[in-house]
């Protein structure tokens, strides 16, 4: 059963050129991560960015199956009367996007998948889960204190800064997480699993991968071709897994070029 997701809707510009663009974030992300990109896209098209379940301002609930998360997104499209959209998803959001495109191809005009392949991945976020728990135990009153707690588990400062976008202050002034951490951890095996759906998505597809990321390897190209036979795979130079944040201009250029084509 789908849940009611929080979303940000830019509205229709005066001279919209094409279908609305729907944007889905990755694990521990949110619609807020796409603010600067939305500012760029909304000049020419309607943009809807969603908080997936257990993320951002959306409800916390058991279950991280891709079929369920795709149903959540489809429910928003129905409420907004968006019959067909261009769909962009990063990482976990890319698997949600692939699931929706495979299950309901009539609703997706074009598909953009950012740095994820339709394959199962090894469990690789133990340090991130530990960092979240360390912050919970520390009861930090400042972002500096929260960062110091996370640093015991996560060395990379950029990763800690990304995670810190989910910190919110409670009535007592203590910083805590706005993610449904327990449900995400319980459903982690479903997050690293392949996307849902049975049939291939045969619409126009762009797969973007970061030059320094290991998420979309050459070994995965054959599977990408089976699941998305019309896919073109492009590499963003100088980028890792968070390619849209690390190389925003190159990312926007690649997306704009694909959508114009």
């Amino acid at each position: 059963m789908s849940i009611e997701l929080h979303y940000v809707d830019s509205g229709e510009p005066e001279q919209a050129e094409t279908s609305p663009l729907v944007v889905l974030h990755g694990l521990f992300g949110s619609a807020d991560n796409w603010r600067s990109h939305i500012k760029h896209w909304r000049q020419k098209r309607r943009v809807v960015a969603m908080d997936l379940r257990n993320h951002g301002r959306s409800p916390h609930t058991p279950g991280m199956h891709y079929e369920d998360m795709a149903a959540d997104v489809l429910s928003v499209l129905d409420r907004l009367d968006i019959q067909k959209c261009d769909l962009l998803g990063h990482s976990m959001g890319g698997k949600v996007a692939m699931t929706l495109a495979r299950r309901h191809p009539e609703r997706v005009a074009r598909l953009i998948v950012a740095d994820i392949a339709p394959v199962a991945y090894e469990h690789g976020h133990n340090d991130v889960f530990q960092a979240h728990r360390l912050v919970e135990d520390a009861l930090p009153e400042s972002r500096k204190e929260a960062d110091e707690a996370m640093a015991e588990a996560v060395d990379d400062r950029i990763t800690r800064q990304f995670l810190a976008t989910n910190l919110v202050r409670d009535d007592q002034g203590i910083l805590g997480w706005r993610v449904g951490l327990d449900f995400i951890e319980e459903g982690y095996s479903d997050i690293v699993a392949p996307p849902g759906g049975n049939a291939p998505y045969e619409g126009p597809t762009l797969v973007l991968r970061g030059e320094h990321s290991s998420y979309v390897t050459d070994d995965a190209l054959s599977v990408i071709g089976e699941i998305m036979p019309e896919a073109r795979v492009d590499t963003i130079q100088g980028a890792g897994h968070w390619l849209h944040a690390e190389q925003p201009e190159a990312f926007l250029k690649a997306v704009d070029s694909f959508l114009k084509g």
Side-chain angles (χ1 to χ4, degrees), residues 195-208:
N198 296 314
Y201 171 70
E202 298 181 347
T205 303
L206 174 65
V207 177
L208 293 173

Side-chain angles (χ1 to χ4, degrees), residues 102 111 118 199-205 207 221-233:
R102 296 175 76 190
L111 176 64
Y201 171 70
E202 298 181 347
T205 303
V207 177
L221 297 182
S222 61
V223 182
I224 290 172
E226 292 171 8
I227 301 298
M228 299 167 288
E230 297 300 316
R232 185 179 88 221
V233 180

Side-chain angles (χ1 to χ4, degrees), residues 51-104:
D51 288 340
L52 298 173
R53 58 171 59 193
N54 294 311
H55 289 76
R57 297 170 180 83
S58 286
H60 298 174
T61 187
M64 295 296 290
H65 293 276
Y66 285 114
E67 301 276 0
D68 293 336
M69 288 196 281
D72 295 342
V73 174
L74 186 64
S75 179
V76 176
L77 297 183
D78 289 342
R79 289 205 309 276
L80 297 177
D81 195 27
I82 296 175
Q83 296 305 310
K84 200 157 195 171
C85 69
D86 294 325
L87 184 60
L88 186 160
H90 171 246
S91 196
M92 179 187 74
K95 287 189 174 181
V96 177
M98 284 186 269
T99 303
L100 179 55
R102 296 175 76 190
R103 297 271 301 174
H104 302 279

